[in-house]
Amino acid sequence: MSAEVRPIQGKVLVPTSSHMLRSHGPFQVRRIRPGVALRQPNDPGFGGLGTIDHAKLEPGVVVRMHEHRNDEIISYMRAGNMKHTDSTGRSEVLSSDRLMVMNAGRGFSHEEETVGDQQIEMLQIFVRPNVAELDAWVQFVDLDASERDGKWRLLTGPVGSAAPTTVRQAVYLYDAHLPAGASIDLPKQGGFDRWFYVFNGEAIVGDQVLRKYDALMISDQAATSVTAVQDTDVVVFLVDRKNRFSRTGTMSG
């Protein structure tokens, strides 16, 4: 399906008041529906970008084996280490230097466990695939931190793109680390609207000051630069919101 696409006029702030905050002892999640500010009937998603969880997990947390279906799940770590064990028997330790994309398709199960004595802080990103009930697999890639210093680092893109990991949707994910005072232009591609998020720090976009947890929706044509007020970590998604997507995912529907 494709939802009614409401145009973005320049830049639209995504209010933090729309985030759902959940805390279960050592596990805290800020659940973000990225398109909520567009007030689309019956769909708070941003095209194929369905849900984003900004999560913090204390040492000792174990999320037991559970299944996902029809979600493309990007596990983007900024602090700490997390052990992933899946239904194929494979185990990997994820970190800021190790990215995972789980293409759940018709069904994929995994367990998550914090490793070491450092708190985990991460984004778990649920992308809605073009269609449901596809084959399932999982991808891992090593990352070079220097590639995000003062510039955009491409992490994920559509199947067939040059990105190191892929999702079955017209979505790109970039990140960057900006030292205080540094400026950078947002990536831009015709037909792809942008969803910009401050993971840590403080930045100025146009005439708006954004702090940790703040986000902007930005039209595909708007020329926009970002200036860091302090050392800042940011991510941006490029999304073709007119592309079809499935809403049958475990988390992203």
Side-chain angles (χ1 to χ4, degrees), residues 66-68 71-75 84-86 100-105 108-112 124-127 136-139 166-168:
H66 58 284
E67 185 184 49
H68 290 277
D71 282 324
E72 311 280 284
I73 305 166
I74 306 167
S75 293
H84 156 95
T85 303
D86 60 45
M100 179 180 77
V101 176
M102 190 166 65
N103 308 89
F108 199 88
S109 297
H110 74 140
E111 179 177 284
E112 299 156 294
Q124 198 158 56
I125 301 150
F126 299 91
V127 173
W137 64 75
V138 63
Q139 307 165 60
T166 58
V167 291
R168 292 168 291 196

Side-chain angles (χ1 to χ4, degrees), residues 8 46 191-195 218-220 237-241:
I8 299 170
F46 193 69
F192 284 73
D193 293 322
R194 290 158 292 176
W195 197 87
I218 304 166
S219 67
D220 67 328
F237 298 87
L238 275 62
V239 182
D240 179 357
R241 294 193 296 128

Side-chain angles (χ1 to χ4, degrees), residues 204-217:
I204 298 172
V205 181
D207 58 354
Q208 292 180 293
V209 178
L210 303 180
R211 299 177 178 87
K212 186 180 178 78
Y213 306 127
D214 286 337
L216 279 178
M217 296 181 293

Side-chain angles (χ1 to χ4, degrees), residues 62-95:
V62 179
V63 182
R64 297 297 181 190
M65 190 72 69
H66 58 284
E67 185 184 49
H68 290 277
R69 297 179 65 90
N70 298 320
D71 282 324
E72 311 280 284
I73 305 166
I74 306 167
S75 293
Y76 173 79
M77 309 279 295
R78 288 297 334 132
N81 297 281
M82 183 171 72
K83 183 180 179 181
H84 156 95
T85 303
D86 60 45
S87 48
T88 70
R90 182 170 183 174
S91 290
E92 295 273 352
V93 175
L94 311 180
S95 68

Side-chain angles (χ1 to χ4, degrees), residues 12-22 29-40 42-54 71 124 126-128 195 197 213 215-217 245-253:
V12 176
L13 184 69
V14 181
T16 55
S17 59
S18 68
H19 300 176
M20 294 183 290
L21 305 179
R22 299 180 179 180
V29 174
R30 178 179 292 266
R31 179 154 294 167
I32 305 165
R33 298 308 301 266
V36 66
L38 290 175
R39 302 186 183 279
Q40 300 166 132
N42 306 313
D43 184 15
F46 193 69
L49 182 60
T51 303
I52 299 169
D53 282 349
H54 191 144
D71 282 324
Q124 198 158 56
F126 299 91
V127 173
R128 306 191 268 202
W195 197 87
Y197 184 70
Y213 306 127
L216 279 178
M217 296 181 293
F245 55 83
S246 168
R247 291 192 65 186
T248 62
T250 303
M251 297 295 295
S252 66

